[in-house]
Amino acid sequence: IDQLRGADAHVGTMLKEHRSLDLSSRTEDLLSMVGDRFGDLLEQLATAIDVQDFRKIGELRRNLEEYHDYTRRFLSGALLAKWVAKRKESEDAYNTIGVLADSFVSALNGEESAEASSLISPLQNLKVAAFKEPAIQELVNQYNGVVTTLQIQLVQVHEKLQAEMSSCNVYSKAIEAYTSLKCACESGLGSHLPMFSVDIAGALKNAQQRERDFIIELKAHLKSKADVNPFVLAE
């Protein structure tokens, strides 16, 4: 493009008059081709984001970055603005998995049932993309980052539940959390947690048994006249 512009400035008028060769028109055609190609790549990126095709997102981001570096000064302001927006959307697509993981952990720490189905599918998509395209380092980094953080968080949840059961004799929350986590692991989450060594099934059984033992002990305590206080019994 620069060469054509230079040639047009020096001999463009002469070529147009004597050889019917319009360098200016050809320059504009080439500029249009550059813009069209960049716009097409942006449309492909938008589609990949919509369907959470992380391999394609990573591939297209890399291609667009390279294309942008070489052709930035030839691209229109509208295309440059669209690139900025789509690049942000693609980053948000990655970050969404981390947000979903955090939401799952928060639910485990709360009283409600934790549902991991919305996390497992995109996490699996990201894993497949990272293994298929290891050269796209951002895919590998994103997947490893989410998985590492999630494993640390789940260990912390387990330790917190164990502490609450020991100090407060509160078992229903632990049973609910372990049940949700066991279901999630059996539904596919477990394949993403190779370093998570907590025996969830064992922890669930232990919590259930401790709750049964506590109830038996409490009933026995209430029946003993000597141990009634500080409990208030309805006669």
Side-chain angles (χ1 to χ4, degrees):
I1 292 174
D2 285 334
Q3 290 176 347
L4 281 173
R5 283 174 169 172
D8 186 38
H10 286 88
V11 297
T13 301
M14 181 188 70
L15 290 174
K16 187 175 183 180
E17 290 177 353
H18 298 286
R19 298 195 177 186
S20 299
L21 180 60
D22 189 346
L23 292 181
S24 177
S25 177
R26 294 200 174 189
T27 301
E28 291 302 316
D29 289 343
L30 187 55
L31 283 170
S32 179
M33 289 173 59
V34 169
D36 289 345
R37 175 57 179 160
F38 193 73
D40 180 60
L41 289 172
L42 288 174
E43 290 301 321
Q44 292 180 48
L45 179 60
T47 300
I49 293 171
D50 288 340
V51 299
Q52 292 187 322
D53 186 340
F54 294 105
R55 184 193 64 78
K56 199 67 175 176
I57 290 173
E59 177 185 306
L60 287 166
R61 274 173 57 94
R62 182 176 60 179
N63 292 343
L64 280 160
E65 291 281 4
E66 293 176 355
Y67 200 94
H68 173 265
D69 289 343
Y70 283 110
T71 64
R72 174 173 47 195
R73 56 202 178 93
F74 304 124
L75 298 172
S76 68
L79 280 174
L80 291 173
K82 188 174 182 179
W83 162 232
V84 172
K86 291 304 175 185
R87 182 170 56 186
K88 177 64 167 57
E89 287 181 28
S90 66
E91 291 169 354
D92 290 343
Y94 290 138
N95 295 335
T96 295
I97 302 178
V99 172
L100 291 171
D102 289 342
S103 297
F104 177 65
V105 172
S106 296
L108 291 174
N109 277 318
E111 296 294 340
E112 74 263 30
S113 177
E115 177 56 59
S117 59
S118 60
L119 166 64
I120 294 172
S121 179
L123 187 59
Q124 180 63 27
N125 289 343
L126 182 58
K127 179 181 180 179
V128 170
F131 277 84
K132 282 188 175 181
E133 299 289 346
I136 305 179
Q137 193 59 44
E138 69 175 348
L139 291 175
V140 178
N141 292 342
Q142 287 287 343
Y143 177 73
N144 288 340
V146 170
V147 168
T148 299
T149 300
L150 181 58
Q151 290 178 141
I152 293 172
Q153 291 175 320
L154 292 178
V155 169
Q156 292 172 341
V157 168
H158 170 66
E159 292 174 346
K160 180 181 177 182
L161 293 172
Q162 292 296 310
E164 288 177 348
M165 285 192 294
S166 297
S167 62
C168 307
N169 292 322
V170 176
Y171 305 101
S172 59
K173 177 181 175 181
I175 291 171
E176 182 70 27
Y178 285 131
T179 298
S180 296
L181 185 52
K182 180 175 179 290
C183 180
C185 287
E186 292 173 348
S187 298
L189 186 62
S191 65
H192 302 282
L193 307 172
M195 303 302 293
F196 183 60
S197 58
V198 176
D199 179 6
I200 297 301
L204 174 58
K205 289 181 179 179
N206 177 261
Q208 292 170 330
Q209 184 60 54
R210 290 175 69 174
E211 182 180 53
R212 286 192 293 267
D213 292 343
F214 178 72
I215 292 173
I216 292 172
E217 181 182 348
L218 182 60
K219 288 180 177 179
H221 187 70
L222 291 174
K223 288 180 180 179
S224 172
K225 294 296 184 180
D227 294 331
V228 166
N229 192 42
F231 298 102
V232 178
L233 297 178
E235 294 295 331

